[in-house]
């Protein structure tokens, strides 16, 4: 269940982030790397569930291509619980749970979003495996 802290026009900003997250989850299900990566900033930083850091959109695209190239590629989704838009209107914080549909891995995550030219882009994601 999504909780949010709203003031003024933040509902539309939160909905834009939710729409992007939903589309990103759908792209993972379809093994569509470009569909997932279109929400990433070029300097995207990801800390994986076991703590490994990955920096840069180009590297992450390679990792995701390799991940989807195996016989039984992993499928997971992120489920937002809370999204907060910063007072500046250009930064947002998302937190929630993630789980694999193809394995027993699950945990919590947080994401930092940055609004660039009117579009919300993911700048970083932190996953913590709790399985």
């Amino acid at each position: 269940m999504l909780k949010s802290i709203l003031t003024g026009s933040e509902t539309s900003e939160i909905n834009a982030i939710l729409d992007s997250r939903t589309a990103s989850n759908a792209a993972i299900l379809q093994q569509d790397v470009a569909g997932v990566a279109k929400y990433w900033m070029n300097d995207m930083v990801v800390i994986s569930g076991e703590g490994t850091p990955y920096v840069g959109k180009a590297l992450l695209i390679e990792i995701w291509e390799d991940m989807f190239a195996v016989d039984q590629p992993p499928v997971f989704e992120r489920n937002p619980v809370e999204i907060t838009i910063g007072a500046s209107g250009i930064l947002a914080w998302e937190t929630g749970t993630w789980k694999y549909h193809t394995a027993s891995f699950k945990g919590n995550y947080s994401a930092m979003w940055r609004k660039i030219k009117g579009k919300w882009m993911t700048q970083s994601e932190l996953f913590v495996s709790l399985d």
Side-chain angles (χ1 to χ4, degrees), residues 46-65:
V46 172
I47 307 296
S48 69
E50 75 283 351
T52 304
Y54 300 97
V55 179
K57 184 175 182 174
L59 173 63
L60 287 164
I61 287 172
E62 287 179 27
I63 290 167
W64 281 70
E65 287 172 343

Side-chain angles (χ1 to χ4, degrees), residues 41-82:
M41 292 180 58
N42 287 334
D43 61 350
M44 172 77 163
V45 175
V46 172
I47 307 296
S48 69
E50 75 283 351
T52 304
Y54 300 97
V55 179
K57 184 175 182 174
L59 173 63
L60 287 164
I61 287 172
E62 287 179 27
I63 290 167
W64 281 70
E65 287 172 343
D66 290 346
M67 185 171 63
F68 287 150
V70 300
D71 287 336
Q72 296 182 339
V75 174
F76 73 94
E77 70 179 322
R78 289 135 310 163
N79 297 299
V81 172
E82 182 175 350

Side-chain angles (χ1 to χ4, degrees), residues 11-127:
T11 300
S12 64
E13 301 295 339
I14 289 171
N15 286 337
I17 291 171
L18 284 172
D19 290 346
S20 295
R21 180 58 73 211
T22 298
S24 177
N25 283 338
I28 292 169
L29 186 60
Q30 297 166 4
Q31 301 174 25
D32 176 8
V33 176
V36 178
K38 77 179 192 177
Y39 301 101
W40 299 339
M41 292 180 58
N42 287 334
D43 61 350
M44 172 77 163
V45 175
V46 172
I47 307 296
S48 69
E50 75 283 351
T52 304
Y54 300 97
V55 179
K57 184 175 182 174
L59 173 63
L60 287 164
I61 287 172
E62 287 179 27
I63 290 167
W64 281 70
E65 287 172 343
D66 290 346
M67 185 171 63
F68 287 150
V70 300
D71 287 336
Q72 296 182 339
V75 174
F76 73 94
E77 70 179 322
R78 289 135 310 163
N79 297 299
V81 172
E82 182 175 350
I83 296 174
T84 304
I85 306 297
S88 68
I90 60 168
L91 293 176
W93 176 69
E94 170 193 0
T95 191
T97 61
W98 62 271
K99 66 178 180 175
Y100 271 74
H101 294 279
T102 53
S104 62
F105 305 119
K106 62 183 179 182
N108 293 338
Y109 78 95
S110 288
M112 176 183 182
W113 292 81
R114 182 176 296 273
K115 194 172 187 181
I116 301 172
K117 297 180 183 175
K119 183 178 177 185
W120 286 102
M121 303 293 290
T122 312
Q123 186 163 8
S124 62
E125 290 182 326
L126 167 66
F127 295 89

